[in-house]
Amino acid sequence: MYLMIPARPDERPLRRDAERNRQRIVAAAAEVFGERGLDATLDDVARRAGVGVGTVYRRFPDKESLVGELFEDRINALAAAAESACEAEDPWLGLQWYLEFLATTMAGDLGLRQMLLFATYGTDRVAYLRERIRPVAARLVERAQAAGQLRDDVCATDIPMLAIMLATAAEYAAPVQPALWRRYLALIAEGLRPSREGAAPLPVAALDPAQMEQLMRTHSNRARSRRPGPS
C-alpha cells in the first residue's frame, strides 16, 4: 500500500502565484502587441505586467511561444464568433455581423492583424488558422448564398481580405474620423448583395485556399527579413 505524501504547505500558494503571474503576462502581452505590433519585446511585456523579465522567460522561453499562445486564443475567439454568426436566423445578418466583428476586432489590435497576415511568425500556424476559420467562414458564405442574399461568386477567402481592408482603413483614418471604416463596410455590403439585374462579373477571381496560405507566408518572409534580431 502506498502512502499519499501531502504537498508542502508552501507549494500551492507558489503555484497560484505562478498562475497569476502567467495570466498577468498574457494580458499584458495582448495589450502591448495590440498597441505596438509583434515587434514589441518581452521587456515591454514585463514592464506592462509589472514583473521582471526573468519571470516572463520562466513562463515563456521566447517571444514566439508567447505570440503563439495569443495567436491560438485570438483565432479560437474569431472561430467562436463565426460559429455564433452561423446560428443567426437571417444568414445575411449573420454574415454582415461577422464581417463587422472582424473589422472592429482587427482595427483595434495591430498584433492580431499581423498574426493573421504573418501566420508563419516564429512557427508556421497557417494550418491552425485554416482548420479553425475556413470551415466556419465557408459555412457563413454558403448559408447566405443559399438564401439568395449573397453573390454567387463570393468565396470564403474574401471574408478575411475584406476585414483586413476595413481594419486598414480604420487605422489610417483613426486620427481624424475613427468611424470612417463603417462607411466602407456599408459600401462593401451593398456590393456583396446580388443585383436584381444580375451582378456585373468581378474582374479578378478570389484567392483559392492555397493562394491565401502562400500570401501569408510571403508577407511573413518579408517581415522577417526586415526585423532585427530576436529580443
Side-chain angles (χ1 to χ4, degrees):
M1 176 178 178
Y2 294 97
L3 295 176
M4 297 296 292
I5 302 175
R8 288 186 353 218
D10 61 339
E11 283 185 350
R12 280 184 186 169
L14 282 175
R15 284 200 294 269
R16 285 199 295 268
D17 287 345
E19 180 56 25
R20 277 196 297 268
N21 279 339
R22 183 181 175 283
Q23 291 173 1
R24 288 170 65 187
I25 291 165
V26 172
E31 293 176 2
V32 170
F33 292 137
E35 295 166 6
R36 305 184 197 178
L38 300 183
D39 285 337
T41 67
L42 290 185
D43 285 340
D44 298 325
V45 173
R47 280 193 293 272
R48 181 68 61 92
V51 300
V53 71
T55 301
V56 177
Y57 277 108
R58 281 194 291 275
R59 306 279 79 80
F60 300 94
D62 50 40
K63 187 169 73 172
E64 283 71 23
S65 62
L66 180 52
V67 171
E69 177 154 333
L70 287 175
F71 177 87
E72 291 193 9
D73 286 347
R74 293 294 187 271
I75 296 308
N76 289 339
L78 295 181
E83 288 161 359
S84 295
C86 284
E87 300 300 319
E89 185 176 347
D90 185 318
W92 170 254
L93 291 180
L95 176 62
Q96 190 174 32
W97 175 86
Y98 187 62
L99 187 56
E100 182 173 355
F101 172 83
L102 270 181
T104 303
T105 305
M106 292 170 62
D109 192 331
L110 176 58
L112 175 60
R113 294 202 299 278
Q114 292 179 337
M115 288 176 199
L116 292 174
L117 287 169
F118 312 140
T120 56
Y121 180 93
T123 302
D124 192 337
R125 299 182 181 91
V126 174
Y128 189 81
L129 181 62
R130 178 183 65 233
E131 291 165 7
R132 292 292 287 124
I133 297 293
R134 187 186 299 166
V136 283
R139 197 154 74 245
L140 276 172
V141 168
E142 290 163 3
R143 288 180 76 239
Q145 287 171 336
Q149 299 171 315
L150 180 67
R151 298 173 57 124
D152 290 338
D153 52 0
V154 173
C155 298
T157 56
D158 290 322
I159 304 306
M161 292 298 293
L162 291 173
I164 289 167
M165 290 165 54
L166 290 167
T168 303
E171 180 184 19
Y172 184 74
V176 175
Q177 176 51 279
L180 184 64
W181 66 272
R182 294 185 178 276
R183 172 183 175 86
Y184 302 110
L185 173 61
L187 289 170
I188 287 171
E190 286 301 311
L192 291 173
R193 281 192 176 275
S195 168
R196 291 179 183 175
E197 293 78 23
L202 297 173
V204 179
L207 295 175
D208 63 35
Q211 289 172 317
M212 192 74 184
E213 293 180 15
Q214 180 183 1
L215 189 63
M216 287 186 284
R217 292 193 172 94
T218 299
H219 278 288
S220 182
N221 290 336
R222 289 176 182 169
R224 276 201 297 267
S225 68
R226 295 194 298 267
R227 186 181 296 123
S231 302

